[in-house]
Every structure is written in structure tokens, then in C-alpha cells.
Amino acid sequence: MTTLDLDNQTCATSLKLLGDFWTLRIVDALSTGTMRYCELQRRVDNLNPVTFTDRLKKLEDAGLVQRMEKSKTGVSYCLSNRGQKILPVLEAINTFSREAHTT
Amino acid sequence: MTTLDLDNQTCATSLKLLGDFWTLRIVDALSTGTMRYCELQRRVDNLNPVTFTDRLKKLEDAGLVQRMEKSKTGVSYCLSNRGQKILPVLEAINTFSREAHTT
């Protein structure tokens, strides 16, 4: 048996979504809290607007990122409760990067 | 502070490597044990040879996958000890896919 349960459609969908460098960078940036569009884009190394919007839209469509529009501050984004559940994946990558380079 | 320690170069490198759908699929396939080239390629949905070779090479160059050549059985691949440390990342994706769809 493999580690991933790819026979399960939700797992295959999750892998497709999370197996992407920029998506993980956006989630990581949002792990610090709510952020305005421009600030978020700046945090992910000024990723080109097309890719940035595409990845953000995919996260929004999957219910992992919430878009909030306020008249005063403009558009902001944050991780939804479900989106917060991606953070252990980032932590696992962090742990891997530490462990894999010390052994 | 974000979840990933991207100021650390090894973390940035790990994210670049693991933030890729096909790389994660190859690691997942190899989590079951040593595998011959053709079998491995078949397991990752007959991924096109160019992408397959590229991802496999990157994993090999990073010391995460070992290539073994035997006169009788041809070329086989397995996860190295360091490569095994990627498995918690896959487990975290599995857990996410279960939890994110039940809440």
C-alpha cells in the first residue's frame, strides 16, 4: 500500500492542489493572518499576477481561502478553518528540510 | 512568523522540490519499496517520459532516491533513508484530505 490514499478522490484532488510551489507559498504567507491583496502578492516574491490570481482563485474555490471585501480597506484574504488544516503539511515540509539535511 | 522557515535555504530548496505533484506521486509510489523503472513509471499513471525522468533525476540528485543497476534485473529505484523522511509530508496531505472534507 502506498502512503497516499489516491483511490479516494478527495485525496487525489488535495494532492493536485497542494502539489504546487506557489499554492504552498500563498498558504504560508496567509498563515500569519489576514492580508490585503497587494501585501499577499508582495510576500510571495511578487509572483506574476496571472499565476497569483489563478492559485488564489483555486484556493478560494476549494473553500480554503476566504476573500473579504470592505469598502474602506479593499480586498483582503485569510485562511478559512479548512484552509488552516493545510498548515501541518507546511510543518511537515519544514521538519523534512531540517531532518534531511542533518542526517 | 510564517509556518515555513523560508529564510533557511534548505527549507526553500525543499519546498521547491516537494511543491510538485509528480514528484510527490513518484515518492508515494516508492513508499511501497524498491521498484523497476517501468513499474514505477506505470504506477505514476504512465507520466510522459521527459517529465518522469526529470523528476526522478531531481530526487536522485537530492539524495532522496537511490538508483540501483543490476545486470539481471536492470535499473531499479528506492527511497534513500533521507527520502523516507518525505513520507510524513504525504501523510499530512492524506490527513488534510480526510479532515478538510469532513468539517
Side-chain angles (χ1 to χ4, degrees):
Chain A
M1 240 186 44
T2 59
T3 305
L4 289 169
D5 180 16
L6 289 171
D7 290 335
N8 184 332
Q9 191 51 44
T10 61
C11 184
T13 305
S14 297
L15 183 68
K16 206 158 267 179
L17 189 77
L18 301 184
D20 177 79
F21 178 78
W22 291 115
T23 300
L24 294 175
R25 284 292 306 271
I26 290 172
V27 171
D28 184 49
L30 287 175
S31 70
T32 58
T34 302
M35 210 168 285
R36 290 171 70 174
Y37 186 92
C38 296
E39 169 68 4
L40 180 56
Q41 190 178 19
R42 194 185 63 73
R43 289 275 196 110
V44 287
D45 296 338
N46 288 314
L47 172 60
N48 76 70
V50 175
T51 309
F52 180 66
T53 307
D54 173 75
R55 300 307 195 273
L56 203 51
K57 181 85 173 55
K58 279 183 180 145
L59 283 165
E60 211 189 320
D61 289 347
L64 301 168
V65 160
Q66 277 179 324
R67 182 181 189 277
M68 292 162 297
E69 201 161 348
K70 287 181 186 163
S71 55
K72 270 191 179 169
T73 53
V75 179
S76 296
Y77 291 87
C78 69
L79 291 176
S80 67
N81 286 341
R82 281 170 63 189
Q84 297 274 352
K85 294 183 195 292
I86 304 173
L87 301 182
V89 176
L90 301 184
E91 279 155 19
I93 293 173
N94 235 358
T95 304
F96 163 77
S97 77
R98 272 199 310 269
E99 290 186 353
H101 290 86
T102 52
T103 50
Chain B
M1 241 185 46
T2 59
T3 305
L4 291 169
D5 180 17
L6 289 170
D7 290 335
N8 184 333
Q9 191 53 42
T10 62
C11 184
T13 305
S14 297
L15 184 68
K16 207 159 265 179
L17 189 77
L18 300 184
D20 177 78
F21 178 78
W22 292 114
T23 301
L24 295 176
R25 284 293 305 272
I26 291 172
V27 171
D28 184 49
L30 287 175
S31 70
T32 58
T34 302
M35 211 168 284
R36 291 171 69 175
Y37 185 91
C38 297
E39 170 67 4
L40 180 55
Q41 190 178 18
R42 194 185 62 75
R43 290 275 196 107
V44 288
D45 296 338
N46 289 313
L47 173 59
N48 76 71
V50 175
T51 309
F52 180 66
T53 308
D54 173 76
R55 300 308 195 272
L56 203 52
K57 182 87 173 51
K58 279 182 180 147
L59 284 165
E60 213 188 319
D61 290 347
L64 301 168
V65 160
Q66 276 179 327
R67 185 182 187 276
M68 292 163 299
E69 202 160 345
K70 287 182 184 163
S71 54
K72 269 191 181 170
T73 53
V75 179
S76 296
Y77 292 87
C78 70
L79 291 177
S80 66
N81 286 341
R82 280 171 64 190
Q84 297 274 351
K85 294 183 196 291
I86 305 173
L87 300 183
V89 176
L90 300 184
E91 278 155 21
I93 292 174
N94 235 357
T95 304
F96 163 76
S97 77
R98 271 200 310 272
E99 290 185 353
H101 290 85
T102 52
T103 51

